[in-house]
Structure formats: C-alpha cells, structure tokens
Amino acid sequence: MQPSSIVNDRIARIAAHLQPPNDSQMGDLRRENCRAKGASGGFKVAVLGAAGGIGQPLAMLMKMNPLVSVLHLYDVVNAPGVTADISHMDTSAVVRGFLGQQQLEDALTGMDLVIILASVLRKPGMTRDDLFNINAGIVKTLCEGIAKCCPKAIVNVISNPVNSTVPIAAEVFKKAGTYDPKRLLGVTMLDVVRANTFVAEVLGLDPREVDVPVVGAHAGVTILPLLSQVKPSSSFTPKEIDYLTDRIQNGGKEVVEAYAAVKFADACLRGLRGDAGIVQSAYVASEVTELPFFASKVRLGRTGVDEIHPLGPLNEYERAGLEKAKKELAGSIQKGVSFIRK
Ligand SMILES: NC(=O)c1ccc[n+]([C@@H]2O[C@H](COP(=O)([O-])OP(=O)(O)OC[C@H]3O[C@@H](n4cnc5c(N)ncnc54)[C@H](O)[C@@H]3O)[C@@H](O)[C@H]2O)c1
Ligand SMILES: O=C(O)C[C@H](O)C(=O)O
C-alpha cells in the first residue's frame, strides 16, 4: 500500500469511527444506555450546543460527574470530533455524539436533564438581547424536540437572552401540553458565582465562604445583587456598593465561562437523586414578584424546583434596583411570549 493510501485508509477509518450511530446501532445504543444507567444508577444528560465555547468544557466536566451515566452531545457542527475527544476520558459515562437536526430526536430521547447552550454568541458591543432574533428560533426548535422526546426532563436554559428564552421555552411546552414550571430553569448561577468572587475580593475572604443572593434575571440591571444579605454579614461603603453592583451586572462583558453551568447542572442532578437541602439561584416561573418569571434561590428536588425562596428584606438601594429590574424584565418576558404566540 502507498503511504498516501495508508493515510487515506486511516482517515477513512477515523471518519467511520466518528460517524454518529446509524439506526441499527441506535438499538445497541439504547441497550447500552440501559446497562449504563442500571450499572451506575446515574442520569442521562444531553448537552445541546456541545461543540461551542461553553459546550466543550461543560461536556468534559459532565463526563467527569459520577452522577452522569449517559452523555449525549448535540450540535449542528463538530459534534463527532468533540464526542470522540470526550469519549476517551476514563470515566464511566457513556458518550454519544449527534450532528444536525435530523439527529436531534435521537439525542433527546430518554434524557433526564437537557442543557441548552445552542446559540450564536454576542460580539463586543452587543447586548444579550441582540441575540434574540437568532437564538429565539434555535431555542424554540430544541424545545419542540424536548416536548416530543423527553417531556419529563429537567431543562436548563443557558442560551441568551435567558430573560426571553425561558419564557419562549415555557410557551413551546404549553403549546405541546407538556409544560411543568418546576422542570424549566434559566441558569443565573454565573451571576452568583461572580458576585461571590467579587465580594470576597473586597472583603478579603475566601469566595467559598461568601454567599451573595442575586435575584431578578440574567442581563444588565435585571441582575440584582442583594449586598445587604451577604453572608457572612458585612457592610459596604456606597462606593463599594456601586462598584460591586456594576461589576456583577456587567461581568459577562469581561468573560464568559462554563464553571457555573456545570455547578448548576450538578445541583440539578443531586436534586434528582433526592439529596436534601440543594438550594441554588435560578430564573423560574415564580410568584415572588408580580412578574411571571423571576430569579431567586430555589430548592431543587426529584421533580425540579420544590420551593422558591422569597427575596427577603431589601434596603432602599435594592428596592430602587428591583423596580428598574422589573421594568426591563417585563419587556423581555413579553418579547419571548409574543415570539411564540404571534
Ligand atoms: N446563562 C449564562 O450564565 C450563560 C453563561 C455563558 C454563556 N451563555 C450563553 O450560552 C450560549 C452558548 O455560549 P458559547 O460561548 O458556548 O457560544 P458558542 O457560539 O461558542 O457556541 C454555541 C454552539 O451552539 C451551536 N449551535 C448553533 N445553532 C445550533 C442549533 N440550532 N442546534 C444546536 N447547536 C447549535 C454552535 O454550533 C456552537 O457550537 C450563548 O447564548 C451565551 O450567551 C449563558
Ligand atoms: O454575557 C454573555 O454574553 C454570556 C453570559 O450570559 C455571561 O454572563 O457571561
């Protein structure tokens, strides 16, 4: 064999290896999935948008999570390569890749937790809302698939603008007759992670010892840190409050990261397992304000959100921030709802 044909042969074999499973292999896959679940008692997780900047590290960290027995990686590009990479990790979760919309239903069937990251990304100078026109349609299509293939799954919505994509998801599920508000969660954990880090810097503490409640939603003024409720109990100068509020609200302009998405997914899985006292912030259908969706601390359980915590006492600065947040958020929610009801 000529060296070039050896190389071509090898490439062909690698390409074949990277091919997503065909229909008969899917039968084997389902049996394999059942064995995997039975063996470890773990959960089946799908990551939609798995080849992106957040998707790849998230996929790697989910593959390392012992609560995950099956990991489905779906994207419209590069899913086979990312899947091959992740699947060589010597941890127990079975990893499968799914490429393009024709494989969406296979990616979703039987999932316990679906993480939606699929998106175009904002460029410098854009707001999260500038992504609406494209991402609204992407999230709609993915949620239609979820309603059909895994209507009982817990859904983590990360694709921006979260303030609108969660109402979009809710409307899609309502239309399909599968809506369960306990199972639909917008991921705002990154705001809490940032708040803990920045407040710890100011206080000179370890961020792991700091708890900053952040309520509202996930964009600009709708991200409302409640510095009066920081634990351990602390006081801040007006200058520190302005600095911290601004930095927490605009952290997404500095860097976008996967850690918070992983931390939140892990909390959802521990809730599904039945662990007690799993409390994290999320943007959910809520009655803590007059708006239909709002982020605050929630207790996670076997069926998703078991309890929504109230906001607690706010000082004057925070009450003013809440009014601003509600005004902007009302418009973002309506925009999402109208996109589906139009
Ligand atoms: N809620 C949060 O805290 C938070 C944090 C980080 C990122 N985000 C958001 O998450 C999203 C993903 O961020 P990223 O940095 O990974 O972006 P990215 O552009 O790097 O990746 C997005 C991925 O989605 C894929 N994609 C596009 N259309 C798709 C479709 N129809 N179906 C499946 N996949 C599709 C792309 O191919 C790409 O691989 C963005 O909307 C970002 O704003 C939110
Ligand atoms: O800000 C972004 O565009 C992504 C994400 O929502 C973030 O907060 O980092």
Side-chain angles (χ1 to χ4, degrees):
M1 208 184 261
Q2 296 296 313
S4 62
S5 59
I6 293 173
V7 171
N8 287 342
D9 184 50
R10 179 166 290 186
I11 289 171
R13 277 188 286 125
I14 291 171
H17 177 69
L18 294 181
Q19 287 303 315
N22 60 31
D23 280 352
S24 78
Q25 287 167 328
M26 282 304 300
D28 295 341
L29 171 59
R30 290 209 183 99
R31 280 188 288 283
E32 195 178 340
N33 287 350
C34 291
R35 276 203 302 278
K37 180 155 186 171
S40 71
F43 296 101
K44 298 180 180 185
V45 178
V47 179
L48 312 183
I54 302 294
Q56 292 196 39
L58 175 80
M60 184 179 89
L61 290 161
M62 294 314 285
K63 171 80 168 98
M64 292 167 70
N65 189 321
L67 289 176
V68 180
S69 59
V70 175
L71 183 59
H72 282 189
L73 304 180
Y74 172 81
D75 206 298
V76 289
V77 294
N78 301 336
V82 172
T83 303
D85 185 355
I86 301 290
S87 69
H88 288 205
M89 291 169 64
D90 57 351
T91 60
S92 64
V94 174
V95 185
R96 296 288 173 197
F98 300 85
L99 179 67
Q101 206 176 326
Q102 67 284 5
Q103 297 193 342
L104 178 62
E105 293 191 4
D106 289 333
L108 290 171
T109 300
M111 292 296 108
D112 300 304
L113 173 67
V114 179
I115 304 172
I116 303 182
L117 299 160
S119 174
V120 290
L121 197 56
R122 68 170 164 149
K123 310 262 181 318
M126 288 169 83
T127 66
R128 292 179 182 85
D129 189 56
D130 291 332
L131 302 176
F132 184 93
N133 288 340
I134 298 175
N135 287 359
I138 294 177
V139 170
K140 173 178 180 274
T141 304
L142 298 178
C143 288
E144 285 165 350
I146 293 168
K148 184 169 175 199
C149 302
C150 53
K152 298 271 178 218
I154 304 287
V155 180
N156 287 180
V157 180
I158 296 184
S159 302
N160 273 314
V162 166
N163 296 10
S164 301
T165 50
V166 169
I168 287 173
E171 289 300 313
V172 171
F173 296 150
K174 279 182 203 166
K175 245 184 169 174
T178 64
Y179 183 46
D180 177 356
K182 287 161 59 102
R183 296 177 194 269
L184 174 62
L185 301 100
V187 177
T188 57
M189 180 104 196
L190 182 49
D191 306 315
V192 176
V193 164
R194 286 182 176 134
N196 290 344
T197 304
F198 303 154
V199 167
E201 268 169 25
V202 167
L203 296 176
L205 295 173
D206 181 332
R208 288 168 300 183
E209 292 164 12
V210 176
D211 175 31
V212 186
V214 184
V215 300
H218 182 65
V221 297
T222 72
I223 300 170
L224 185 61
L226 301 180
L227 298 173
S228 67
Q229 297 180 27
V230 166
K231 287 189 191 134
S233 179
S234 314
S235 58
F236 300 92
T237 65
K239 208 170 152 194
E240 285 171 339
I241 291 172
D242 282 342
Y243 159 76
L244 284 167
T245 304
D246 180 67
R247 185 138 187 239
I248 294 162
Q249 289 180 336
N250 292 301
K253 290 183 188 157
E254 291 181 38
V255 71
V256 177
E257 47 115 291
Y259 166 76
V262 172
K263 199 171 170 182
F264 189 72
D266 180 63
C268 289
L269 292 175
R270 285 185 291 127
L272 276 177
R273 182 172 64 178
D275 291 11
I278 308 294
V279 175
Q280 295 293 357
S281 291
Y283 176 58
V284 294
S286 165
E287 292 180 354
V288 300
T289 71
E290 64 275 25
L291 297 178
F293 296 91
F294 208 77
S296 65
K297 285 189 179 178
V298 302
R299 184 162 53 78
L300 298 165
R302 288 189 194 279
T303 54
V305 177
D306 273 350
E307 185 191 1
I308 299 178
H309 290 208
L311 303 185
L314 308 190
N315 63 25
E316 206 184 317
Y317 185 91
E318 292 160 353
R319 279 198 297 277
L322 178 62
E323 290 315 308
K324 265 197 228 162
K326 284 196 296 191
K327 198 166 168 217
E328 179 172 320
L329 184 54
S332 307
I333 293 171
Q334 192 46 49
K335 194 170 172 181
V337 171
S338 307
F339 178 75
I340 302 296
R341 291 193 192 168
K342 69 188 169 207

